[in-house]
Amino acid sequence: MKLTKFLASVLAAALIAGVLSAGGVSGIVSAEAEETDMRPQMGISTTYPTQYRDWVHGLFGGNGIMGCIVLGNPLKDIVVYNHRQFNIAATRERTFNTMSKDSLDLIRNACVAENWKAANDEANKHGWQNGGEGDKHPGYDMEIIMTEDGDVEDFLRTCDYATGEISVTWNDNRGKFERNTFVSRTDNVIVQQLKAPDGGSLTCDIKLGIQGSVGDKNNRNSMNFPSGMVFTNNSNEDFLNMRVMYPNPAATGSAGYEGVTRVIPKGGSVIYSDGMLLVTDVEELLLLTRIGRYGKNAQTEWGKELIQDELSAIDYDYDTLLARQKTTHSEIYARATMDYNAPEADRAKSNEELIAMQKASGNPVPAYFERLFDAGRYHYLSSSGDLGPPDLLGIWAGDCEVGWSGYYHLDANLNLQIAGAVVGNMLETIEGYTWLNEAWVPGFKINATKLLGCRGTLGGGNTPGASSGLISALSYYYPYQYVTGEMSWLMQPCWEYYQATGDTAYLRDRLYPMMKEIGYFYEDFLQLKDANGKWIFAGSISPESQPSGVPYSLVNNSSFDIAGAKWGLETLIKICDILDDDAGGQKDVWQAILDDLPPYIINNIGALAEWSWPSLADRNAYTHRHSSGMIGVCR
């Protein structure tokens, strides 16, 4: 999936620091950048997507709650509206069996005896069934349509990473046109400004809709909404309003969502007719949009028209709104910069030019890596908010067929996606991450109790969001309930936040309760020891991998699970010491477990072995290995 790869690149770029060794290009990272020293931090493009299927090449804006994608076609622009909570509404929850003590003992003993088939056969009796909220999806789109008047010239799309302002400009016979868009972090509103040429006027048609047809799964230019989605355009001259009901309202509790756009013309006239806002001879058109999702009784919520009331209360001067955006987004974004001393001429080049330069060069192109760093910080910040951190696609989706459903993936991806938060001095973004993990705790406890017979918490694999921490996608190949290192991997960014801030209240009230659940889990899960007196992770998985010559995933002592236990218990004990709290005597119990964890093994090529079990060897070619297994090694 192109967008997944794109976000992986730009988010990872936010971590780049020090030296680009391949070309010997040294760089400086400033964690408290002075505004006067800031080089331009902007994405620049001289092209735009000509087909909707290429929405991944749009420009993205967001405030962590709402997002938008601006494609940028000058005469037929498309703006896609997104929201953090846009997943197809659930008609039932995920379910699975309660594994009996006899089954759990059989799995444990079979693993110790290296009877892998028996262990995997028994673990597959979980009875897991899919459910919960479905695929990530866009909300709807706005088309801005203008008539042609001469050739389009001097076209430019830019995204000012420091302010979040997306601009589209071009010239034709009428003069220079300009459209600006940003998603305000301060006012929680999507702001769009359509400007007429100097001394001229703007005439255009605006309509809300969706690309393609509902249930049309064969049209690549479609948003691919599933059958049963109902879209109702409830617009007028003052407020454009799209109301949407999810399929099967009887099962969803009539879940739905809506988007409302306040229409504010300067001069000229606007008329709503035949599903279209007809804009004639205005000097400027300002559009203020807010989106809301309703977990039940959407019709009742629509009738209250609360979003219309909220938008009516917002200051509608564009410059005032942008200035307010700078007090939040810009203040956070400007705290760090990367300077590779790139030539100014290269810094002024478009994204397309820099990509071509890097492809043609055997060495790093400094301006390219500066642009990657800037884009990484921007997209991370724009998709982080109090409702959660970035999911697999940040906050953006142009259709309902995105890779891996666009979910949060917990065994590696999520921690890596937010890795720039603390080192990049965007500490506010950890609030949404912490809140999301707290929301998952009830489901994580059910996972541990029903599937492994343990107290404490067991991670959920993947999830659409806060609605469910229940475990996902259990299968014979992937009995994911035995990926026990995941909980520590999820908690590591929270510990890093405490290390950076020294916020003892956060440590005591937010992190410590979740960390204690990790301790309780290992008290129950680790029951057998080897001949050397070391605990055996009897039932252990290295995510999405199997040992050489062993066609089973459930084995013993993956380095991932050992590392998770080691880091989790070490950190839990440190927290006990900081808070001067022995957790009712449990601190000594946790220390005793920690003291007897199995050692790591180095394999035949000098790398950390994927399994610390003598008969299990790594595959000769690593085709898929998760970096999360290094949590307890590199510290």
Side-chain angles (χ1 to χ4, degrees), residues 91-169:
T91 57
R92 66 177 187 181
E93 189 49 272
R94 293 173 176 172
T95 62
F96 42 86
N97 299 332
T98 297
M99 297 293 284
S100 69
K101 182 179 184 301
D102 289 344
S103 284
L104 294 172
D105 287 342
L106 189 157
I107 294 167
R108 189 179 297 113
N109 293 328
C111 282
V112 172
E114 299 188 9
N115 187 348
W116 310 127
K117 183 179 187 304
N120 282 262
D121 287 349
E122 193 68 21
N124 199 47
K125 294 180 179 179
H126 47 70
W128 182 86
Q129 292 185 6
N130 199 7
E133 292 189 339
D135 288 8
K136 187 183 179 77
H137 65 82
Y140 60 96
D141 70 76
M142 173 187 288
E143 291 189 23
I144 304 171
I145 304 165
M146 294 179 58
T147 59
E148 183 178 352
D149 190 350
D151 293 337
V152 171
E153 298 177 338
D154 303 320
F155 173 83
L156 190 66
R157 288 190 305 162
T158 62
C159 181
D160 187 337
Y161 299 137
T163 64
E165 189 177 30
I166 297 166
S167 297
V168 178
T169 61

Side-chain angles (χ1 to χ4, degrees), residues 18 106 124 220 271 308 450:
L106 189 157
N124 199 47
R220 290 186 59 209
I271 299 172
Q308 286 86 338
K450 291 184 67 174

Side-chain angles (χ1 to χ4, degrees), residues 410-425:
L410 310 183
D411 55 6
N413 303 66
L414 180 54
N415 184 318
L416 296 175
Q417 285 170 249
I418 71 161
V422 174
V423 296
N425 200 3

